[in-house]
Amino acid sequence: MAVVRQRPALSVVGGGLGAGKTSLIARLLEQPGMGRTGVVVNEFGEFGVDDLMLGPSAPDAQLALLRNGCICCRPGNDLSEAVRKMIAAAPEPLVRILVETSGVAELSAVLAKIGADHVLRGMVRLDAAIAVVDATAPDETRAEHIACADRIVVTKTDLVVPIAAAAIRRRIAAMNPTVPILDGQAQPDPDVLFNAGLIDGRSGEVQADAWLRAQGSVHVHHHGEDADSIRSWLIETGPQDWTQLSQHIARMSRAAGPALLRLKGIVADRDDARPLALQMVRDQIYRPVRLTREAGDGRSRIVVIARATAAPAVEALATRLSAAEVAIEVP
């Protein structure tokens, strides 16, 4: 069994302007299972109102506001400082912290900023990246949110006819068949919405397959095939030498540049029976996690999500790893 430090699980809730992020969080905070929760609200403008809306939903919740700029673009460590103060001020240890991004932020950019903040990562464990989709304006949802999310919540389904809501779900499922799609109007169960990280927050056990979600493939695109389209690659190969693998991934990252969005992997180590779990968001690679022997099956599986322009770099990585199989979703 993995040993889990009692750190709050940090989840990021992203989505466009007016998508319903604040309303979703407010309803979640009213549920009995959401006690001991902190919320950090990031407002793009100078004046924030979302934190005022959340206060009545859970008077005992710890709330913080980061105003005047997106988390992903702000210099410094405002987020980690807000989280530190929140944890210190809580009368009881926090179970989870939710970060509501501004409506103009990109989900992968926020995750990358969190990954680069070693102080913050020492205080929390990263859990779920949640994308909120507005059922009344599905075309305004950015493909990047769908591709990088661990969970997707469709809001305002009560404002569209059932056939339209079903069509939206089918469209999302076609874009990313590996991600659970939840109905925001039905008040998602926190146990289903969260707990998407490598370690099961309830049992402390490694949940490698659920975290990796390597089954199926992702192919998200805008109107027509262009350089902005988003694809995923599943690279399957045998055991790897960690030093060489890290060099290959760094080489791929440099070649892909900003087109690389997210990488996850469970890698069989040639020198150790215990596999390694890898995670990278944009150019920020997280420290590898050594799993238990039981978590491996002798295979290395790496999922890369990137824009179409990264294809040569990703396919070169697969070639260098002498992949047994490279699954590429082709439009």
Side-chain angles (χ1 to χ4, degrees):
M1 176 180 293
V3 177
V4 182
R5 288 195 298 159
Q6 295 303 310
R7 295 176 293 166
L10 185 143
S11 294
V12 180
V13 182
L17 293 166
K21 301 184 296 294
T22 303
S23 297
L24 171 66
I25 293 173
R27 290 196 300 272
L28 284 168
L29 292 177
E30 293 172 350
Q31 298 192 37
M34 289 293 289
R36 294 161 58 188
T37 294
V39 182
V40 179
V41 178
N42 180 212
E43 288 276 10
F44 184 73
E46 183 177 356
F47 300 102
V49 296
D50 287 352
D51 59 321
L52 300 178
M53 294 173 61
L54 292 172
S57 300
D60 296 329
Q62 301 292 307
L63 300 177
L65 174 66
L66 297 180
R67 56 169 66 89
N68 202 19
C70 290
I71 293 173
C72 50
C73 304
R74 295 165 64 97
N77 60 348
D78 289 1
L79 178 58
S80 60
E81 182 62 14
V83 168
R84 184 192 66 78
K85 291 180 179 179
M86 180 177 289
I87 292 174
E92 295 183 85
L94 294 176
V95 172
R96 63 175 57 85
I97 296 174
L98 308 182
V99 177
E100 179 188 345
T101 71
S102 74
V104 298
E106 288 194 0
L107 195 54
S108 64
V110 175
L111 295 175
K113 184 68 177 285
I114 292 170
D117 192 332
H118 299 288
V119 173
L120 176 60
R121 285 167 50 198
M123 293 186 287
V124 301
R125 56 183 178 84
L126 187 60
D127 188 10
I130 300 165
V132 178
V133 174
D134 184 347
T136 66
D139 291 338
E140 295 182 11
T141 300
R142 277 168 283 182
E144 181 267 351
H145 284 328
I146 301 296
C148 292
D150 299 306
R151 306 282 191 266
I152 294 174
V153 178
V154 182
T155 58
K156 307 181 188 178
T157 53
D158 59 322
L159 301 181
V160 298
V161 296
I163 192 171
I168 292 168
R169 291 177 63 91
R170 287 195 301 271
R171 178 184 175 192
I172 294 172
M175 294 165 70
N176 189 345
T178 70
V179 65
I181 304 170
L182 307 174
D183 186 349
Q185 196 64 25
Q187 295 191 350
D189 184 338
D191 285 339
V192 177
L193 183 59
F194 303 112
N195 202 31
L198 177 62
I199 304 298
D200 187 318
R202 295 158 298 193
S203 68
E205 298 283 354
V206 173
Q207 49 181 8
D209 288 337
W211 172 74
L212 189 60
R213 294 189 292 113
Q215 295 76 24
S217 58
V218 182
H219 178 61
V220 185
H221 60 84
H222 296 289
H223 301 291
E225 179 67 10
D226 54 32
D228 241 1
S229 65
I230 298 175
R231 303 176 181 176
S232 92
W233 292 258
L234 169 59
I235 302 173
E236 294 188 340
T237 184
Q240 298 291 319
D241 175 83
W242 165 242
T243 300
Q244 292 181 353
L245 175 63
S246 62
Q247 293 171 350
H248 291 325
I249 291 176
R251 182 176 175 183
M252 182 271 295
S253 175
R254 289 193 298 271
L260 176 64
L261 297 177
R262 200 168 185 185
L263 178 150
K264 287 184 178 182
I266 304 293
V267 176
D269 192 335
R270 286 178 183 168
D271 301 318
D272 196 316
R274 299 169 300 166
L276 287 166
L278 313 178
Q279 179 166 199
M280 185 175 189
V281 183
R282 295 201 171 189
D283 61 348
Q284 297 297 326
I285 188 164
Y286 290 52
R287 176 182 293 179
V289 176
R290 181 71 70 179
L291 306 179
T292 61
R293 182 189 301 259
E294 294 73 23
D297 58 7
R299 293 180 299 160
S300 296
R301 293 175 292 161
I302 298 174
V303 175
V304 183
I305 300 175
R307 300 190 185 279
T309 53
V314 178
E315 291 163 23
L317 170 65
T319 300
R320 286 192 290 269
L321 298 183
S322 300
E325 178 182 355
V326 183
I328 305 173
E329 179 72 9
V330 180

